[in-house]
């Protein structure tokens, strides 16, 4: 596996050298520098990224361990994702985007033991061996609204250079990551350059529909104005908990998300408030149903239901419903400093099905650019997140149940709390390195285990 990584990294670095020396030639060949006469939008967009994350945790106190516990002996883990982002203009306002991706490695204990898992890149990894796949493949149509002004945007990941209406409707259809559109935050959203922890990079209790790599298929409709936006999506859900295979019984299994965004500016300092709601319909059992089977002494039935909750089995019963909402705020304070906060909740009656086992989550943090110390492309971040469970999921774990992320065999409940600090330094035009430290209290919501120290380092290349 390591040999495959080395070969791929070498190929990507050689490609970067070729791009660096021949940017103008390549642009002329693909027409990337030519804007269309009718809509002033470039024909192509081509980018790439590689992200490697290495983390370590020393031994820590654990009174007992279960199937999904984080190992209390010292351990290390390495993950890698690499992506090529290709965009091609189709007709006026329309483009198609394709993102082939190679991912591999694993997190601690196969990404088990902590609901707010410390590596935000690992949820994209479906297999420890380097595996190529198509991460995104979608068509996007931009429709200019009447009397709209336009902005000029530069080429970027899944973005064509050229004119973009300030007031527009955007329709996206295909395969994508839903968090590309919802729950955004300029200071806390990208695990490749910002905070790594799962319960910080997104609203932790949003069981956002995706396969085990983080992608789904469906549509998103956005209405975007200069000071507000509204988004709605309907997408597929996994057939089994945290599974790679999606459920094609679309009339019974699907997920809808809606979000309203309000932007403002006060004395030159911008801010954004996002309110998001979701409802997912899946094959997930209800916790009460599983708890009753466990208390009845029906071992066969309870073990079968536990296997479904943990993603080890499937069944043909529908009716799982998980719904919730969240608020997400960010504010620029000036001097390159931004602060953010999130608060979110889900009902916690049906088993978690896609992201992680969090029923409520609160975050507070700060991101500071290196302008004050004359490194404007560097970033320093510090944030805290606290995660909780619904009474039903708490009882389920206390009885010895487990899900697809956590389960220690029993539970002395306490809120799981994460403190993360990182520094992202730009070493060269396309190379970034980020030392990172996380302190996790009550991993898996268990007072009988931890705390856990997780130092790590992230290397990110973008072309």
């Amino acid at each position: 596996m390591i040999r495959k990584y080395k070969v791929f990294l070498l190929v990507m670095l050689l490609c970067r050298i070729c791009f660096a020396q021949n940017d103008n030639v390549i642009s002329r060949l693909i027409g990337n520098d030519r804007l269309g006469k009718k809509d002033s939008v470039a024909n192509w967009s081509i980018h790439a990224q590689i992200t490697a994350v290495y983390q370590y945790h020393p031994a820590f106190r654990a009174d007992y361990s279960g199937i999904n516990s984080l190992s209390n002996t010292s351990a290390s883990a390495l993950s890698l994702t690499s992506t090529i982002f290709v965009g091609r203009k189709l007709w006026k306002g329309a483009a198609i985007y394709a993102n082939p991706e190679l991912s591999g490695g694993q997190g601690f204990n196969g990404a088990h033991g902590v609901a707010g898992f410390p590596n935000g890149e690992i949820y994209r990894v479906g297999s420890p061996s380097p595996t190529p796949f198509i991460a995104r493949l979608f068509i996007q149509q931009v429709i200019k609204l009447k009397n709209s002004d336009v902005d000029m945007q530069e080429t970027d990941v899944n973005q064509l250079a050229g004119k973009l209406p300030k007031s527009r409707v955007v329709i996206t259809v295909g395969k994508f990551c839903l968090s590309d559109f919802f729950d955004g935050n300029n200071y806390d959203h990208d695990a490749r350059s910002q905070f790594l922890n799962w319960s910080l990079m997104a609203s932790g209790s949003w069981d956002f529909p995706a396969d085990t790599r983080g992608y789904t298929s469906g549509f998103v409709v956005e209405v975007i104005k200069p000071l507000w936006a509204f988004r709605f999506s309907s997408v597929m859900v996994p057939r089994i908990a945290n599974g790679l295979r999606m459920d094609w019984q679309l009339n019974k299994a699907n997920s809808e998300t809606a979000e309203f965004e309000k932007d403002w500016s006060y004395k030159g300092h911008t801010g954004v408030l996002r309110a998001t709601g979701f409802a997912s319909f899946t094959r997930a059992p209800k916790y009460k149903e599983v708890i009753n089977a466990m208390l009845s002494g029906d071992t066969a039935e309870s073990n079968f239901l536990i296997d479904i909750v943990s993603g080890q089995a499937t069944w043909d019963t529908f009716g799982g419903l998980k719904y919730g909402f969240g608020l997400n705020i960010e504010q620029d304070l000036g001097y390159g400093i931004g602060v953010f906060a999130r608060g979110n909740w889900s009902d916690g009656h049906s088993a978690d099905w896609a992201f992680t086992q969090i029923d409520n989550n609160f975050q507070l943090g700060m991101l500071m650019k290196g302008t004050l110390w004359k490194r404007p492309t560097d970033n320093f971040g510090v944030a805290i997140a606290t995660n909780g469970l619904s009474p039903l999921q708490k009882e389920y774990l206390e009885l010895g149940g487990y899900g697809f992320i956590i389960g220690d065999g029993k539970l002395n409940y306490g809120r799981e709390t994460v403190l993360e600090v990182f520094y992202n330094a730009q070493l060269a035009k396309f190379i970034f390195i980020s030392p990172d430290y996380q302190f996790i209290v009550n991993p898996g919501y268990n007072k009988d285990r931890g705390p856990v120290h997780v130092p790590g380092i992230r290397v990110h290349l973008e072309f």
Side-chain angles (χ1 to χ4, degrees):
M1 183 176 73
I2 299 299
R3 184 178 180 182
K4 291 182 180 179
Y5 282 148
K6 289 180 178 178
V7 171
F8 187 80
L9 286 169
L10 178 61
V11 171
M12 293 294 282
L13 286 171
L14 289 173
C15 288
R16 173 55 195 163
I17 292 171
C18 291
F19 268 92
Q21 295 179 351
N22 299 283
D23 279 341
N24 293 333
V25 175
I26 293 172
S27 294
R28 287 195 296 270
L29 287 174
I30 65 175
N32 193 44
D33 59 343
R34 294 196 297 269
L35 301 183
K37 293 181 179 179
K38 291 185 177 180
D39 54 6
S40 296
V41 175
N43 293 321
W44 288 91
S45 172
I46 300 179
H47 299 271
Q49 75 83 28
I50 302 172
T51 303
V53 177
Y54 173 82
Q55 292 179 317
Y56 165 84
H57 74 74
F60 61 89
R61 178 188 66 90
D63 294 347
Y64 48 84
S65 297
I67 294 175
N68 283 348
S69 294
L70 182 67
S71 173
N72 65 314
T73 60
S74 62
S76 62
L78 173 69
S79 70
L80 181 142
T81 62
S82 50
T83 318
I84 299 174
F85 306 92
V86 180
R88 169 62 185 176
K89 176 182 171 183
L90 296 177
W91 54 79
K92 184 177 181 180
I96 184 169
Y97 297 95
N99 299 169
E101 188 161 282
L102 180 75
S103 63
Q106 57 186 348
F108 302 127
N109 293 89
H112 292 106
V114 188
F117 199 76
N119 184 355
E121 276 290 279
I122 204 64
Y123 83 99
R124 297 185 175 90
V125 177
S127 170
S129 299
T131 305
F133 63 97
I134 299 298
R136 298 175 181 85
L137 180 60
F138 61 88
I139 292 177
Q140 191 168 78
Q141 176 71 57
V142 177
I143 303 170
K144 180 180 178 181
L145 296 179
K146 188 176 181 181
N147 299 323
S148 174
D149 294 330
V150 296
D151 282 328
M152 290 298 295
Q153 68 177 9
E154 296 181 357
T155 179
D156 204 343
V157 169
N158 292 331
Q159 177 178 294
L160 297 175
K163 291 184 178 179
L164 182 69
K166 291 184 178 181
S167 298
R168 61 192 182 275
V169 174
V170 183
I171 302 171
T172 305
V173 180
K175 183 181 180 184
F176 43 74
C177 179
L178 201 60
S179 63
D180 292 344
F181 303 91
F182 294 90
D183 195 37
N185 193 296
N186 286 318
Y187 308 119
D188 176 32
H189 192 58
D190 183 7
R192 290 170 178 162
S193 63
Q194 298 171 337
F195 296 94
L196 274 167
N197 193 276
W198 286 11
S199 57
L200 281 170
M201 68 181 192
S203 293
S205 64
W206 177 31
D207 195 29
F208 81 86
D211 60 24
T212 192
R213 295 179 176 131
Y215 302 99
T216 185
S217 298
F219 71 86
V220 180
V221 177
E222 304 172 87
V223 179
I224 300 174
K225 301 286 284 184
L227 293 178
W228 62 268
F230 177 78
R231 302 174 179 89
F232 176 81
S233 72
S234 181
V235 298
M236 300 176 72
V237 297
R239 180 176 172 83
I240 68 173
N242 196 232
L244 192 58
R245 181 182 174 191
M246 304 304 280
D247 201 324
W248 285 90
Q249 297 284 338
L250 300 181
N251 59 327
K252 299 177 181 179
N254 53 76
S255 181
E256 282 65 53
T257 305
E259 180 177 271
F260 178 77
E261 173 184 311
K262 174 60 179 175
D263 300 55
W264 63 80
S265 179
Y266 178 72
K267 294 185 177 180
H269 301 302
T270 59
V272 185
L273 174 67
R274 299 175 181 88
T276 308
F278 75 92
S280 294
F281 304 87
T282 67
R283 300 174 190 249
K286 294 178 173 59
Y287 283 121
K288 191 65 176 177
E289 179 182 5
V290 189
I291 290 169
N292 289 339
M294 296 170 77
L295 293 175
S296 73
D298 188 340
T299 305
E301 177 70 8
S302 62
N303 286 345
F304 175 64
L305 290 173
I306 290 172
D307 283 347
I308 295 171
V309 172
S310 61
Q312 305 301 311
T314 187
W315 64 350
D316 292 326
T317 302
F318 294 87
L321 168 62
K322 180 173 285 293
Y323 60 90
F325 61 87
L327 294 177
N328 171 349
I329 189 169
E330 63 180 77
Q331 178 64 54
D332 168 47
L333 300 180
Y335 303 101
I337 301 172
V339 294
F340 65 89
R342 281 190 178 97
N344 46 92
W345 171 92
S346 65
D347 68 295
H349 288 93
S350 294
D352 295 292
W353 206 243
F355 182 37
T356 190
Q357 290 175 248
I358 297 175
D359 293 318
N360 56 79
N361 162 263
F362 302 94
Q363 310 168 22
L364 181 65
M366 176 197 73
L367 192 72
M368 179 185 297
K369 289 186 178 295
T371 307
L372 294 177
W373 52 95
K374 299 181 179 180
R375 290 189 60 87
T377 58
D378 290 4
N379 287 290
F380 167 77
V382 58
I384 189 169
T386 176
N387 309 318
L389 294 176
S390 68
L392 285 172
Q393 182 164 194
K394 174 186 170 184
E395 183 180 0
Y396 169 71
L397 294 173
E398 287 173 340
L399 291 172
Y402 57 95
F404 57 85
I405 296 291
I406 61 173
D408 297 324
K410 53 183 177 178
L411 181 67
N412 180 13
Y413 180 76
R415 292 189 69 86
E416 182 183 271
T417 302
V418 177
L419 171 69
E420 182 173 0
V421 181
F422 77 92
Y423 187 91
N424 186 40
Q426 184 174 12
L427 300 186
K429 183 178 179 180
F430 63 96
I431 302 176
F432 300 82
I433 187 167
S434 303
D436 183 270
Y437 170 75
Q438 298 176 48
F439 180 65
I440 304 172
V441 179
N442 302 331
Y445 308 98
N446 202 332
K447 292 180 181 179
D448 294 335
R449 312 187 87 248
V452 186
H453 301 268
V454 184
I457 191 162
R458 170 181 57 203
V459 179
H460 175 69
L461 287 71
E462 58 183 41
F463 316 133

